[in-house]
Amino acid sequence: MDKNQILKEFSSDPDKYYNVKLFQEQGFVRKSCSKCGRFFWTLDSNRTLCPDDGTDTYSFIGEPPTTKRFDYTQAWKQVEEFFVKNNHTSVSRYPVVCRWRDDLYFTIASIVDFQRIMGSKVVFEFPANPLVVPQTCLRFKDLENVGVTGRHFSSFCMIGQHSVPNNQGYWKDECVDLDYRLLTDQFGIKKEEVVFVEDVWAGGGSFGPSLEYFVRGLELGNAVFTEFQGELGQHTTLDQRVIDMGAGLERFAWITMGTPTAYDCCFGPINEKLFNKIGIDSDSEILRKYFTEIAKEIDNYDDLNQVRRLAIKNAGITDSQLTKMITPMEGMYLIADHLRTLIFAITDGALPSNVGGGYNLRMMLRRINATVSKLNLKLDIDDLIDTHIDYLKDTYPELDEKREDVKQILKIESARYEESKVHMKKKAEKIREKGTPTVDELITFYESDGITPEYLKEVDAISEVPSSFYSKLSDLHQSEKKKAITELPLEKLPETETLFYKDDPMEFEAKVIKVFDDQVVLDKTSFYARGGGQEPDHGSIAGFEVVDVDKHADIIVHKLKGGTPNEGDTVQCKVDATRRSNITKNHTSTHIINTSARSVLGSWVWQHSAFKDDDHARLDITHHSSLNDEQVKQIEDAANKMIKDNYPVKIEYFDRGTAEQQYGFRIYQGGVVPVKSVRIVSIEDKDIEACGGTHVKKTGDIELIKITKTKRIQDGVVRLEFVSGPNAFEYVKEQEEESKKKEQQAIEKQQLEKQREENKDKAREKIPVFIEKILAGESLDSEEINSKGKLCFTSSKNYDDYFNQNFGKKLVAKDDTAAFCGIFEAGPTIRVMIFAGEKSGVNAGEIAKEIASILGGSGGGDAKFAQGGGKDTSKKDEAIQKAKSMILG
Ligand SMILES: [Zn+2]
Ligand SMILES: [Zn+2]
């Protein structure tokens, strides 16, 4: 939809779309900007320019238009007080991780809190009407502006004022009247300072007029009146019109404080801490000039560096002021901003990773680390986290509870970054040599080595980050979610009655509604269809085997083997009760392991995905590192404790809004629930999830859970494989047998070892006996020893290093015409050792060299003593023959 077209249409009939009661009462005049033509409403009859083009733009810096001063937390108190006084419910913020929508990773606006997707439609669910909410919103698209422009944040507080016009809520007139009084009465801004600009909003198939309100060129808020749907011209009024007023809390604080940047009044005491640490030589007059210039120029240029250069020139900043003041300040603001965003995100259960939204968090922490090293700072991040949370906890008490978790995650992640630096540097050098990589190559570097394009740019391996990188990366991750569903012509069929949600009989009678090849639709069924990671039931329908069951919208389709009944038949159906019972136990076990893992590991543990079959199951959780044996044992113990405590597993249906308000967004472990009535499965207050699966009545029914294997399957995700019920006992039995077998093997090995030692001892005893016989001139020819005169040889397996060494040494010491050569195995090598008496005529070194070369190794020594060896055992016999012939002739 073309926004300009809609704006033209609406502005051509201002009385209908924009002229609210306040404008008439107060005497606002409607003007068209003499520069850009946009329409705006003002009390100042001399004003000719819209706020964007006005001469007063950003003149509040150094000279605020209010008599009262409010910092970030005080500003919210003012806003809240005003709206509550005017019959609004003040609602706590929703998580920044948007668990209730699968098309968004993060909450990007306050209205998102109340949007639920039903099919292709967006519906609104408000917990109160009217309401106001301090919604923390995360936005990452202007990351390079953060810290530099004075007003861009990676997360900010959107004051959401929302109303549905009915007997409780209100519409345009009252909305604008409230916003105007908030500025003038509550914040003390002069009436003439407030300018409303006509605009429109369009998105998600609906649209409506909006009034943006400005003070001194700073847009404080935008009141959107969502009232139409369809294409302009053929549009109709929505059943549910909605007031969507969003205002930046940071800007409310800024306008009352008039500080050089919004950062100065919104981060609390962390600024001063960082100022002192960095030792910035701050001069408010120079900063005022500089940031006013930045604010004025930022919208005129695409290139931020150009804006910066211009501001430096116009504000008369010297090189020394730039390096001693501006650059460190930008870094300081960046650190404060990014850290604040990480605190919110980790508190709400997100983890830095390479996957999905976690990517942005990792990127931010790496930007903090890079800034710290660039400015050569020594910062105590834990202390900075404390400072932030202490300042924010009044408005957001939940941050206080997760303080230690945030510290732990950031510590692990920073250490990981340090470790990966060496590897990344090497890889970057290779990339630099090879020349500019393609976008696909960049994606591979990122996914396999965790090397971000920002890093490559930082080290000059690439000149810029290709604009298509992030969209392509997110497309890749998005498409993984989609699942191919075979289309069946099911349109006219009635919804299948789901008996498994009722009495759940294992045997029942049903009518065949439709047959497609081997697939059958019944009027009702107790066969659970594949869904939520739970595998389908098996069994029989009219004597035919049921091999698969799938759900297509509200219709359940059974796949049969060996034939099908006829349409219209009434058939006997039988669910395989043992299989179902095993799957059910595994499903409840998934919930139990999930909550056990969270209690053992930390609050960041969420179900990533799950799979439950009858003989095995797995649960993938979000966690930063591989699990060690101790952690696995603790999780298993905690899970079995829950079984032992035999808690009832309760299933209740709730209105979705009620469930969310009552239990929070933890219920969405298995993802978004696209229905108004939510099935809540709860195990006391230990685990509460929205879930459509089958469950045991009491945790004790599971009897036993055994975790069989764990593995870190991707960055930020750990898989736990497990078995429960009879399969767990079977597993324990197998484990016991296995360990018995191993024990037996160990005993046998030990005995063998002992036998070998004994043989060796016996062999050693033979040394003096053999020597005596040889020196006596006896000729020996046996496995144990061969001799010819006083030359002798052995390759017996019973002799080790010790035997060969001692035998040879003693023999030649007693008779210098004697010589000895022994071949024996030592570990993986075959060794040869030769002792030759001076008058024996044998050259020890030559034999060692020759034999070693046969064995593929090396040998060395002199004519009297030499040794060598090699690992080529296939040449053992050849080596023995050769050695024997070399010494005995
Ligand atoms: Zn203008
Ligand atoms: Zn479940």
Side-chain angles (χ1 to χ4, degrees), residues 195-207:
V195 179
F196 291 91
V197 175
E198 293 179 6
D199 205 351
V200 297
W201 183 88
S206 53
F207 63 98

Side-chain angles (χ1 to χ4, degrees), residues 532 534 587-588 590-591 607 612 670 681 689-695:
Q534 178 170 338
H587 196 145
T588 309
T590 310
H591 290 215
Q607 175 177 315
K612 308 97 176 178
V681 178
E689 298 185 26
C691 173
T694 60
H695 288 277

Side-chain angles (χ1 to χ4, degrees), residues 797-821:
K797 286 189 189 81
N798 291 331
Y799 305 151
D800 61 356
D801 185 74
Y802 179 90
F803 174 90
N804 283 280
Q805 185 111 231
N806 282 278
F807 184 83
K809 211 184 216 170
K810 281 180 185 157
L811 182 71
V812 299
K814 290 203 167 166
D815 190 331
D816 63 0
T817 63
F820 165 77
C821 171

Side-chain angles (χ1 to χ4, degrees), residues 697-713:
K697 298 244 173 346
K698 288 181 136 196
T699 55
D701 298 349
I702 297 169
E703 293 179 282
L704 184 68
I705 290 176
K706 294 303 281 181
I707 296 171
T708 55
K709 193 180 165 191
T710 71
K711 192 181 175 214
R712 187 165 180 242
I713 53 165

Side-chain angles (χ1 to χ4, degrees), residues 295-326:
K296 278 185 180 167
E297 302 296 350
I298 184 84
D299 293 328
N300 298 335
Y301 301 93
D302 287 337
D303 181 3
L304 186 62
N305 287 322
Q306 197 175 349
V307 174
R308 220 168 157 263
R309 280 194 293 273
L310 214 64
I312 289 163
K313 192 172 143 242
N314 292 350
I317 303 282
T318 65
D319 284 353
S320 138
Q321 282 166 338
L322 185 65
T323 51
K324 286 200 181 124
M325 203 191 309
I326 305 292

